[in-house]
Amino acid sequence: MTLTIGVDVGGTKVAGGVVDEHGTVLASNRRDTPADDPAGTRDTIVEVAAELAVAHPEATAIGIGAAAWIDAAGSTVLFAPNLAWRDEPLRDYVSKAVGLPTVLENDANVAAWAEFRFGVARHADSMVMITVGTGIGGGIVLDGKLWRGANGIAAELGHIQSVPDGHPCGCGRLGCLEQYASGNALVRFARAGARQEPERAAQLLELAGGDALAITGRQITEAARAGDGVACDAFGQIGYWLGVAMADLAQSFDPEILVVGGGVVDAGDLLMTPTLTTYHDQLKQRGRFPVAELHAAETGNTAGVVGAADLARRP
Ligand SMILES: [Zn+2]
């Protein structure tokens, strides 16, 4: 049995784990991320990895997944939207500090890799995954290999365009998928719906203390489960845009399987039913030739640690 260490670096938490070759987490730890302090974040990652390495001296390597753009060599964080890193040579710093070979990868790529190795795509040879959280990320695996792109920034699927001249996106473009199919989009749609049709949002507004602007993602899921019209419509809208994007990806890559991951997938059929309906509607030629299956991810919130640890195992 070979063990490796996975570290999942998010805007609020740095989570670590010792993982075996079957993707089982044998030990784990976590710290708060000092997000506005680049040196502090770097040292927190070292602390998390070193603590696990000391407790499990048989661990052979470290994998780090970070919500960031990583350079083509997998050594430097070029830019991180929610962390104060700019051109941070993170891989070599951690490797030297802990004394183990280290790999560095974008967090959505890491989550996709976990799903490909141990989740719903474990029997497939090719897969495209969209992660739906606060924002949107993506990961592409082709012929059993993570596709990082020529510059290391492949699969930024949140920034493909859904609506020409649409809602402004943080990336500077208009109408990106992230503005129509993310957790943030879900909240925006629900708040707008609750203001326009308060009588159809009675349950949702009750949960939010009567204030449409106070509506949260969690409340939308709860209200939709109870049948609230506006909350169900909000899931219908993000599912629609996700289904359209998935149909485009099926035709771009022809993967064996398409996967919807990320925190919002916990809403289950509320998200997956409209996504699947639109996906099948959009592929008009369905029946003439086979198309990719579309499924919800299975690996859940350990995907970051498990995927990073498994990538560290690769040559
Ligand atoms: Zn964008």
Side-chain angles (χ1 to χ4, degrees):
M1 184 170 72
T2 59
L3 302 181
T4 51
I5 293 167
V7 182
D8 180 15
V9 185
T12 57
K13 294 272 183 243
V14 177
V18 176
V19 183
D20 72 10
E21 66 266 38
H22 306 294
T24 307
V25 180
L26 304 177
S28 58
N29 61 358
R30 59 166 44 201
R31 301 270 194 288
D32 291 337
T33 310
D36 47 10
D37 172 7
T41 301
R42 198 178 62 189
D43 292 336
T44 302
I45 295 166
V46 168
E47 233 177 87
V48 163
E51 185 177 289
L52 294 169
V54 167
H56 294 267
E58 66 276 38
T60 56
I62 301 166
I64 303 170
W69 278 268
I70 314 289
D71 71 341
S75 68
T76 301
V77 174
L78 300 175
F79 174 80
N82 301 310
L83 297 162
W85 275 332
R86 302 293 179 264
D87 297 318
E88 176 73 33
L90 186 65
R91 181 189 66 187
D92 293 348
Y93 184 88
V94 174
S95 178
K96 212 167 174 184
V98 187
L100 286 173
T102 299
V103 302
L104 174 62
E105 189 50 80
N106 165 269
D107 62 341
N109 284 352
V110 165
W113 186 254
E115 205 56 41
F116 179 74
R117 289 278 291 129
F118 305 112
V120 70
R122 65 189 173 278
H123 301 300
D125 202 40
S126 57
M127 174 198 83
V128 178
M129 175 157 134
I130 291 185
T131 54
V132 184
T134 311
I136 283 188
I140 299 170
V141 179
L142 299 175
D143 294 334
K145 289 201 177 99
L146 190 62
W147 177 252
R148 305 191 69 253
N151 302 297
I153 54 160
E156 285 295 340
L157 301 176
H159 303 287
I160 57 179
Q161 194 178 54
S162 294
V163 179
D165 299 324
H167 202 266
C169 184
C171 75
R173 263 186 123 185
L174 297 176
C176 290
L177 179 64
E178 182 161 288
Q179 301 307 319
Y180 292 87
S182 63
N184 279 345
L186 178 77
V187 171
R188 193 177 85 238
F189 289 140
R191 287 177 180 176
R195 279 200 303 271
Q196 281 157 18
E197 301 180 275
E199 67 291 345
R200 286 187 66 237
Q203 286 146 302
L204 184 53
L205 282 167
E206 194 186 327
L207 289 169
D211 180 3
L213 289 176
I215 289 170
T216 65
R218 209 175 288 273
Q219 291 164 354
I220 299 165
T221 304
E222 191 182 334
R225 286 203 174 116
D228 182 274
V230 163
C232 289
D233 283 358
F235 274 107
Q237 288 181 82
I238 69 165
Y240 171 79
W241 291 112
L242 203 53
V244 170
M246 287 298 197
D248 288 347
L249 293 168
Q251 297 184 95
S252 303
F253 293 98
D254 186 22
E256 270 179 73
I257 180 166
L258 291 160
V259 182
V260 183
V264 180
V265 98
D266 292 346
D269 289 346
L270 290 171
L271 176 66
M272 291 309 291
T273 300
T275 303
L276 280 160
T277 301
T278 306
Y279 176 67
H280 289 136
D281 275 357
Q282 293 276 317
L283 293 169
K284 306 284 186 209
Q285 79 284 29
R286 194 167 61 102
R288 292 180 193 272
F289 53 82
V291 294
E293 293 174 31
L294 172 58
H295 292 284
E298 288 176 350
T299 51
N301 59 10
T302 61
V305 165
V306 169
D310 197 69
L311 283 169
R313 204 180 291 285
R314 316 267 121 196

